[in-house]
């Protein structure tokens, strides 16, 4: 009987044959006993032949589904008890895997490679990542060094508990990181330097993805800690209504419909936050049972 590998390396790739040509042989040498899976997300280059040359497992999507969809496909197919996720574009250095694994074996459930200053592919991405990380840190009351890094080591059983929450696009790192914090799992960061890509083209579109990133922030807030999002909004409605009531009372001696509307909006927003908090908790009601089954 063939035993399952301890580690599975999952690499989502779309038209990254040139980068994979260098990356895959390095991984085979560094992790000879690991299962290496390249999830080809509808590429139209020679990704398949590059994978065959390095004798690694390739799973192909018939059409592009997104980075998150490729991650989910790889996680479902992986046989290892520990998953190592990294990008195919050459911005994650294979030699950093040992450092992530060393920290992981200290007892963490997930270890993330946190990109340091100068590692971002562009100013807009650096700013977006900083905004995301600050917002998420406030939501979970824990320091988050890099919310959007795709370079991470994680326990397979725990990762698969949240597959149904993961989007098909580029925001999967945000969702899985927040899920682990909300579930009370241990998360650590290891500083890394991510060089700029030297080949291929980025699939990030600044204007389109800027709107999408804003929607992700709203999603993160409502999904993982909705009361922290709704409570300040409720307080803003209340304070505005109170200030407007004082103004109209002092100037006209009356209580206006606008003040009433603002007070009612404050109450409704607070109630929605309470209900959303309870609904959010339902995502984690079976975590302990799934954890025991996974282990």
């Amino acid at each position: 009987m063939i035993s399952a590998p301890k580690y599975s390396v999952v690499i989502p790739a779309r038209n990254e044959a040139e980068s994979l040509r260098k990356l895959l042989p390095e991984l085979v040498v560094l992790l000879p006993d690991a299962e290496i899976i390249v999830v080809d997300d509808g590429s139209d280059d020679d990704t398949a032949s590059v994978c065959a040359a390095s004798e690694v497992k390739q799973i192909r999507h018939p059409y592009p589904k997104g980075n998150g969809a490729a991650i989910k496909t790889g996680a479902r197919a992986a046989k290892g008890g520990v998953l190592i996720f990294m990008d195919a574009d050459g911005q994650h250095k294979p030699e950093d895997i040992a450092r992530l694994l060393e920290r992981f074996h200290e007892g963490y459930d997930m270890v993330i490679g946190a990109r340091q200053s100068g590692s971002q592919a562009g100013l807009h991405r650096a700013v977006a990542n900083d905004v995301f990380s600050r917002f998420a840190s406030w939501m979970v009351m824990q320091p988050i060094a890099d919310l959007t890094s795709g370079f991470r080591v994680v326990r397979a059983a725990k990762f698969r508990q949240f597959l149904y929450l993961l989007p098909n696009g580029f925001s999967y790192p945000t969702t899985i990181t927040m899920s682990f914090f909300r579930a009370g799992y241990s998360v650590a960061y290891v500083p890394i330097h991510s060089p700029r890509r030297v080949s291929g083209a980025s699939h990030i579109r600044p204007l389109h993805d800027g709107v999408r990133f804003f929607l992700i922030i709203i999603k993160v807030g409502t999904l993982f800690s909705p009361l922290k999002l709704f409570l300040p909004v409720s307080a803003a409605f209340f304070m505005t209504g109170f200030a407007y009531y004082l103004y109209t009372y002092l100037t006209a001696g009356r209580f206006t419909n606008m003040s009433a509307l603002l007070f009612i909006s404050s109450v409704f927003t607070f109630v929605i936050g309470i209900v959303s908090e309870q609904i959010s908790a339902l995502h984690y009601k079976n975590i302990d049972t799934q954890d025991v089954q996974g282990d």
Side-chain angles (χ1 to χ4, degrees):
M1 181 178 178
I2 300 176
S3 60
K6 184 176 182 179
Y7 302 114
S8 290
V9 183
V10 177
I11 307 172
R14 181 184 173 194
N15 294 330
E16 299 286 3
E18 287 305 312
S19 296
L20 289 172
R21 205 181 307 277
K22 178 177 183 296
L23 173 64
L24 294 180
E26 292 181 7
L27 287 175
V28 170
V29 172
L30 286 172
L31 300 168
D33 298 323
E35 175 187 42
I36 301 175
I37 302 173
V38 174
V39 183
D40 182 353
D41 190 35
S43 299
D44 53 19
D45 61 4
D46 57 346
T47 294
S49 60
V50 172
C51 293
S54 295
E55 298 182 345
V56 303
K57 183 176 182 180
Q58 182 211 18
I59 303 175
R60 176 173 171 79
H61 288 169
Y63 56 87
K65 298 180 181 181
N67 180 264
I71 287 293
K72 289 188 281 188
T73 296
R76 293 186 181 108
K79 296 181 174 63
V82 176
L83 304 180
I84 302 170
F85 295 105
M86 62 189 306
D87 293 345
D89 57 10
Q91 295 188 67
H92 296 154
K93 296 187 290 187
E95 56 265 32
D96 286 332
I97 293 177
R99 297 172 55 228
L100 267 65
L101 286 174
E102 181 181 1
R103 191 70 188 277
F104 178 79
H105 289 304
E106 292 177 7
Y108 290 96
D109 297 306
M110 180 164 62
V111 174
I112 302 168
R115 294 161 293 184
Q116 301 304 289
S117 177
S119 294
Q120 302 295 334
L123 179 61
H124 67 280
R125 294 180 69 176
V127 172
N129 186 51
D130 184 63
V131 171
F132 271 139
S133 298
R134 290 177 183 272
F135 178 77
S137 297
W138 174 71
M139 295 293 291
V140 299
M141 301 300 291
Q142 295 288 340
I144 295 179
D146 189 343
L147 185 63
T148 61
S149 173
F151 193 18
R152 57 189 63 209
V153 175
V154 60
R155 298 190 189 280
K158 289 182 167 66
F159 186 89
R160 292 191 184 104
Q161 292 172 354
F162 303 106
L163 283 183
Y164 74 101
L165 286 176
L166 302 187
N168 289 338
F170 280 95
S171 61
Y172 105 84
T174 302
T175 305
I176 194 63
T177 301
M178 296 295 288
S179 296
F180 265 57
F181 274 115
R182 180 63 190 264
Y185 292 150
S186 301
V187 179
Y189 293 88
V190 171
I192 63 169
H193 176 73
S194 178
R196 295 176 182 270
R197 67 159 55 229
V198 295
S199 63
S202 172
H203 302 296
I204 297 288
R205 294 168 290 174
L207 182 59
H208 175 271
D209 291 319
V211 176
R212 182 170 57 82
F213 286 157
F214 174 75
L215 295 177
I216 291 171
I217 288 178
I218 300 300
K219 173 187 173 182
V220 166
T222 55
L223 185 60
F224 297 104
S225 191
L227 196 56
K228 278 200 168 184
L229 187 66
F230 284 103
L231 190 58
V233 176
S234 174
F237 275 128
F238 180 84
M239 296 304 297
T240 303
F242 184 72
Y244 190 74
Y245 166 66
L246 285 180
Y247 170 76
T248 55
Y249 179 79
L250 294 174
T251 58
R254 62 193 181 92
F255 179 77
T256 65
N257 290 337
M258 179 57 71
S259 296
L261 178 61
L262 289 169
F263 283 132
I264 292 172
S265 297
S266 173
V267 173
F268 279 174
T269 304
F270 179 75
V271 171
I272 291 172
I274 292 292
V275 174
S276 298
E277 190 78 19
Q278 302 305 313
I279 294 174
S280 174
L282 295 177
H283 290 296
Y284 305 90
K285 66 177 183 178
N286 296 322
I287 287 297
D288 293 336
T289 301
Q290 294 174 4
D291 197 16
V292 170
Q293 292 175 344
D295 293 341

